[in-house]
Amino acid sequence: METADLLIRGGSVVSVHTGEVWRADVAVVGDAIRAVLPPGAPVRAREAVDADGLIVAPGYIDAHMHIESSLLAPAEFARVTLARGTTTVLADAHEIVNVAGREGQAWMIGQGRGTRQTMRWAVPSCVPALDGFETAGARLDEADIDEMLGWEGVTTLGEVMDYRAVVSGDPRMHAIIAAARRRGVRLDGHCPGLSGAELGEYLWAGIDSDHCKNTPEVAVEKARLGMLLMLQEKCLTPEVVDALLALPDLPDFCLVTDDIAVDAVLRTGHLDRVASVALERGLPPLAVLRALTLRPARRLGLDDRGSVTPGKRADLVLLRSLGDPAPVLAIAGGEVVGRDGAPVEGPGPAPRNPFGGSVRIGPPSAEAARWRVDLPDGEHAFRALRVNEVDTYTEPDEVVLPVRGGAVQWEGRTAVVAVFERHTGRGGVSFAPVVGQELGRGAFATTYAHDSHNLTAVATSEAALLSAAADVVGWGGGMRVVREGGPGAGLPLPVGGVMSDRPAPEVAEAAGAVRAELAAWGWRNRNAFMSLSTLTLAVSPSVKITDKGLVRVVDRAWEPATAR
């Protein structure tokens, strides 16, 4: 054979097809695997890698994720996740598209072309996430989505989050689905807890995957009907894993990241982290590896990768064992891109930011941040959001608060969440109590608030709310914690209010500081960013808040602000 550009010698190769591991060398020419050879075969190579004691496996493929959730721009996201072995992603850009519309999607695709990571794209199906119940920065209709599905690199209709619209026969959502089916693209799902006849309607529409947290019974029901389970970390509960392992045949599944911020990526990993959790829960190593490689490759229609095979793309990871998914070496397109989880190249230049003016409101005034109601003076019961320390599920609750002169006297009695419409400069604000956390005096404000990304603040102090919100608006978007007796912390996110244009270590340090200040304030959750930023996600059970009010997610209806 011709001179190889790269020779990986002295290691073993794993077959995701048969489960075998055998001693072999791997020769790479250009961006493709040229040959899998007996150990020590005489091959001339321009560069050689010593893989003694290591296993050569396919690069990892993330079949469902959102780059914006890393808080990084696409090129910087690619740089740090490539080093963790994630060589291909299917990215749903519904965060920036809910802010900037078609221009947001086009910008993401353009930014991704310059990376060594293969980026394929989903067009968001729900912009806004819950039409008619919130104010987003854009609205995509059937014609927009039909055109965007034809753009280069687009392969999928992004997660159909408004599953209630699907099962109820909503004309707009069904027109969007019909456009995707005419295009012949894949349709990704989002339907937590959906089962029975309603699940059948969702599948009938052509949506055949789900990445949400489900009970063991619902997870098995979905798998039984052939729905592809995309398991992110929070889905991998011991109960769900045990239920899947108890089936006569372990169903196909993919491991996905969905939403992981950069500080977590640098601290614990990306897809390799999700794989570690899957292994800890008892899933077999080969099944885990297939869920990172062959299964997502087939899901995405990428027949040129997913296994260590001559002719396939040379996206590879070198592992210490099948039980340790953290790569010793990561290779993308025949180029070494990471060693021991660290990128081999430094950050590139900051990207041009066309979305720096997307926060179209000034800092909230004291009057704007006052919770006003059309109620007589006295004690009134208000509907509250009850949060928990485990996931993003919110339950309805109630809090009795005094009203004086049309203003709710909440300070010193409860925490509140306030959502200020930021996109038009003409919108209003909605309030609700938040219970389930023991918070000190302070506030958290953010424009990273799924999916419309309006300015959202959780506060126990009006002064802290105003201070935190003013900083975020002044930055053109971001996250800010202000708390009594603490230093506070902030992270500017000037790219549409959802991403930074800074290098990953800098963003991770600031994100970690915000996370630490949230914990010191008293916000307890396994993923504080997601817990807070999904208080506004009106398609995620059970009750959420938007700039227009409280929403009963399952009923797709308004929740009265007063409890009785």
PDB file of all heavy atoms in Angstrom, residues 163-178:
ATOM      1  N   TYR A 163     -45.183  18.549  22.010  1.00  0.00           N
ATOM      2  CA  TYR A 163     -45.806  17.255  21.726  1.00  0.00           C
ATOM      3  C   TYR A 163     -47.309  17.291  21.946  1.00  0.00           C
ATOM      4  O   TYR A 163     -48.059  16.525  21.338  1.00  0.00           O
ATOM      5  CB  TYR A 163     -45.149  16.146  22.555  1.00  0.00           C
ATOM      6  CG  TYR A 163     -45.182  16.341  24.052  1.00  0.00           C
ATOM      7  CD1 TYR A 163     -46.163  15.748  24.829  1.00  0.00           C
ATOM      8  CD2 TYR A 163     -44.214  17.101  24.696  1.00  0.00           C
ATOM      9  CE1 TYR A 163     -46.191  15.907  26.195  1.00  0.00           C
ATOM     10  CE2 TYR A 163     -44.221  17.267  26.062  1.00  0.00           C
ATOM     11  CZ  TYR A 163     -45.214  16.684  26.818  1.00  0.00           C
ATOM     12  OH  TYR A 163     -45.245  16.849  28.178  1.00  0.00           O
ATOM     13  N   ARG A 164     -47.770  18.228  22.797  1.00  0.00           N
ATOM     14  CA  ARG A 164     -49.213  18.348  22.968  1.00  0.00           C
ATOM     15  C   ARG A 164     -49.868  18.822  21.666  1.00  0.00           C
ATOM     16  O   ARG A 164     -50.983  18.415  21.331  1.00  0.00           O
ATOM     17  CB  ARG A 164     -49.541  19.336  24.093  1.00  0.00           C
ATOM     18  CG  ARG A 164     -48.916  19.038  25.435  1.00  0.00           C
ATOM     19  CD  ARG A 164     -49.148  17.642  25.940  1.00  0.00           C
ATOM     20  NE  ARG A 164     -50.520  17.172  25.830  1.00  0.00           N
ATOM     21  CZ  ARG A 164     -50.898  15.943  26.128  1.00  0.00           C
ATOM     22  NH1 ARG A 164     -50.014  15.046  26.532  1.00  0.00           N
ATOM     23  NH2 ARG A 164     -52.156  15.586  26.014  1.00  0.00           N
ATOM     24  N   ALA A 165     -49.179  19.700  20.932  1.00  0.00           N
ATOM     25  CA  ALA A 165     -49.720  20.161  19.647  1.00  0.00           C
ATOM     26  C   ALA A 165     -49.800  19.016  18.651  1.00  0.00           C
ATOM     27  O   ALA A 165     -50.729  18.951  17.839  1.00  0.00           O
ATOM     28  CB  ALA A 165     -48.851  21.286  19.093  1.00  0.00           C
ATOM     29  N   VAL A 166     -48.840  18.108  18.702  1.00  0.00           N
ATOM     30  CA  VAL A 166     -48.841  16.968  17.778  1.00  0.00           C
ATOM     31  C   VAL A 166     -50.033  16.062  18.060  1.00  0.00           C
ATOM     32  O   VAL A 166     -50.807  15.719  17.155  1.00  0.00           O
ATOM     33  CB  VAL A 166     -47.526  16.171  17.886  1.00  0.00           C
ATOM     34  CG1 VAL A 166     -47.569  14.949  16.966  1.00  0.00           C
ATOM     35  CG2 VAL A 166     -46.332  17.054  17.546  1.00  0.00           C
ATOM     36  N   VAL A 167     -50.206  15.664  19.307  1.00  0.00           N
ATOM     37  CA  VAL A 167     -51.255  14.680  19.623  1.00  0.00           C
ATOM     38  C   VAL A 167     -52.651  15.292  19.559  1.00  0.00           C
ATOM     39  O   VAL A 167     -53.635  14.567  19.400  1.00  0.00           O
ATOM     40  CB  VAL A 167     -51.009  14.024  20.991  1.00  0.00           C
ATOM     41  CG1 VAL A 167     -49.674  13.316  21.008  1.00  0.00           C
ATOM     42  CG2 VAL A 167     -51.090  15.040  22.130  1.00  0.00           C
ATOM     43  N   SER A 168     -52.738  16.633  19.631  1.00  0.00           N
ATOM     44  CA  SER A 168     -54.056  17.281  19.555  1.00  0.00           C
ATOM     45  C   SER A 168     -54.423  17.687  18.133  1.00  0.00           C
ATOM     46  O   SER A 168     -55.518  18.211  17.902  1.00  0.00           O
ATOM     47  CB  SER A 168     -54.086  18.521  20.460  1.00  0.00           C
ATOM     48  OG  SER A 168     -53.199  19.519  19.980  1.00  0.00           O
ATOM     49  N   GLY A 169     -53.484  17.474  17.172  1.00  0.00           N
ATOM     50  CA  GLY A 169     -53.782  17.777  15.785  1.00  0.00           C
ATOM     51  C   GLY A 169     -53.621  19.231  15.402  1.00  0.00           C
ATOM     52  O   GLY A 169     -54.236  19.692  14.426  1.00  0.00           O
ATOM     53  N   ASP A 170     -52.805  19.990  16.112  1.00  0.00           N
ATOM     54  CA  ASP A 170     -52.594  21.407  15.818  1.00  0.00           C
ATOM     55  C   ASP A 170     -52.136  21.584  14.366  1.00  0.00           C
ATOM     56  O   ASP A 170     -51.148  20.985  13.929  1.00  0.00           O
ATOM     57  CB  ASP A 170     -51.531  21.968  16.758  1.00  0.00           C
ATOM     58  CG  ASP A 170     -51.165  23.397  16.438  1.00  0.00           C
ATOM     59  OD1 ASP A 170     -51.955  24.285  16.764  1.00  0.00           O
ATOM     60  OD2 ASP A 170     -50.083  23.616  15.860  1.00  0.00           O
ATOM     61  N   PRO A 171     -52.838  22.416  13.573  1.00  0.00           N
ATOM     62  CA  PRO A 171     -52.517  22.528  12.137  1.00  0.00           C
ATOM     63  C   PRO A 171     -51.112  23.041  11.864  1.00  0.00           C
ATOM     64  O   PRO A 171     -50.449  22.554  10.936  1.00  0.00           O
ATOM     65  CB  PRO A 171     -53.578  23.505  11.623  1.00  0.00           C
ATOM     66  CG  PRO A 171     -54.701  23.417  12.598  1.00  0.00           C
ATOM     67  CD  PRO A 171     -54.065  23.155  13.926  1.00  0.00           C
ATOM     68  N   ARG A 172     -50.650  24.046  12.622  1.00  0.00           N
ATOM     69  CA  ARG A 172     -49.322  24.599  12.352  1.00  0.00           C
ATOM     70  C   ARG A 172     -48.247  23.533  12.560  1.00  0.00           C
ATOM     71  O   ARG A 172     -47.355  23.362  11.715  1.00  0.00           O
ATOM     72  CB  ARG A 172     -49.052  25.802  13.253  1.00  0.00           C
ATOM     73  CG  ARG A 172     -47.623  26.341  13.130  1.00  0.00           C
ATOM     74  CD  ARG A 172     -47.432  27.619  13.943  1.00  0.00           C
ATOM     75  NE  ARG A 172     -46.046  28.076  13.875  1.00  0.00           N
ATOM     76  CZ  ARG A 172     -45.113  27.795  14.768  1.00  0.00           C
ATOM     77  NH1 ARG A 172     -45.416  27.063  15.835  1.00  0.00           N
ATOM     78  NH2 ARG A 172     -43.878  28.244  14.612  1.00  0.00           N
ATOM     79  N   MET A 173     -48.308  22.823  13.673  1.00  0.00           N
ATOM     80  CA  MET A 173     -47.283  21.818  13.943  1.00  0.00           C
ATOM     81  C   MET A 173     -47.352  20.685  12.929  1.00  0.00           C
ATOM     82  O   MET A 173     -46.327  20.181  12.471  1.00  0.00           O
ATOM     83  CB  MET A 173     -47.425  21.285  15.376  1.00  0.00           C
ATOM     84  CG  MET A 173     -46.341  20.302  15.769  1.00  0.00           C
ATOM     85  SD  MET A 173     -44.665  20.935  15.472  1.00  0.00           S
ATOM     86  CE  MET A 173     -44.628  22.305  16.613  1.00  0.00           C
ATOM     87  N   HIS A 174     -48.538  20.285  12.551  1.00  0.00           N
ATOM     88  CA  HIS A 174     -48.646  19.195  11.575  1.00  0.00           C
ATOM     89  C   HIS A 174     -48.176  19.629  10.191  1.00  0.00           C
ATOM     90  O   HIS A 174     -47.652  18.812   9.432  1.00  0.00           O
ATOM     91  CB  HIS A 174     -50.079  18.645  11.551  1.00  0.00           C
ATOM     92  CG  HIS A 174     -50.317  17.628  12.629  1.00  0.00           C
ATOM     93  ND1 HIS A 174     -50.149  16.284  12.424  1.00  0.00           N
ATOM     94  CD2 HIS A 174     -50.649  17.772  13.933  1.00  0.00           C
ATOM     95  CE1 HIS A 174     -50.392  15.624  13.544  1.00  0.00           C
ATOM     96  NE2 HIS A 174     -50.709  16.513  14.486  1.00  0.00           N
ATOM     97  N   ALA A 175     -48.312  20.920   9.867  1.00  0.00           N
ATOM     98  CA  ALA A 175     -47.776  21.410   8.593  1.00  0.00           C
ATOM     99  C   ALA A 175     -46.252  21.373   8.602  1.00  0.00           C
ATOM    100  O   ALA A 175     -45.617  21.041   7.588  1.00  0.00           O
ATOM    101  CB  ALA A 175     -48.277  22.830   8.337  1.00  0.00           C
ATOM    102  N   ILE A 176     -45.654  21.703   9.743  1.00  0.00           N
ATOM    103  CA  ILE A 176     -44.187  21.641   9.869  1.00  0.00           C
ATOM    104  C   ILE A 176     -43.705  20.199   9.734  1.00  0.00           C
ATOM    105  O   ILE A 176     -42.733  19.905   9.024  1.00  0.00           O
ATOM    106  CB  ILE A 176     -43.752  22.261  11.208  1.00  0.00           C
ATOM    107  CG1 ILE A 176     -43.959  23.791  11.164  1.00  0.00           C
ATOM    108  CG2 ILE A 176     -42.307  21.919  11.527  1.00  0.00           C
ATOM    109  CD1 ILE A 176     -43.804  24.471  12.501  1.00  0.00           C
ATOM    110  N   ILE A 177     -44.400  19.288  10.392  1.00  0.00           N
ATOM    111  CA  ILE A 177     -44.030  17.871  10.305  1.00  0.00           C
ATOM    112  C   ILE A 177     -44.189  17.365   8.874  1.00  0.00           C
ATOM    113  O   ILE A 177     -43.337  16.624   8.359  1.00  0.00           O
ATOM    114  CB  ILE A 177     -44.888  17.049  11.289  1.00  0.00           C
ATOM    115  CG1 ILE A 177     -44.473  17.369  12.734  1.00  0.00           C
ATOM    116  CG2 ILE A 177     -44.768  15.550  11.007  1.00  0.00           C
ATOM    117  CD1 ILE A 177     -45.420  16.806  13.775  1.00  0.00           C
ATOM    118  N   ALA A 178     -45.253  17.780   8.214  1.00  0.00           N
ATOM    119  CA  ALA A 178     -45.474  17.344   6.827  1.00  0.00           C
ATOM    120  C   ALA A 178     -44.356  17.835   5.918  1.00  0.00           C
ATOM    121  O   ALA A 178     -43.908  17.109   5.022  1.00  0.00           O
ATOM    122  CB  ALA A 178     -46.830  17.845   6.338  1.00  0.00           C
TER     123      ALA A 178
END
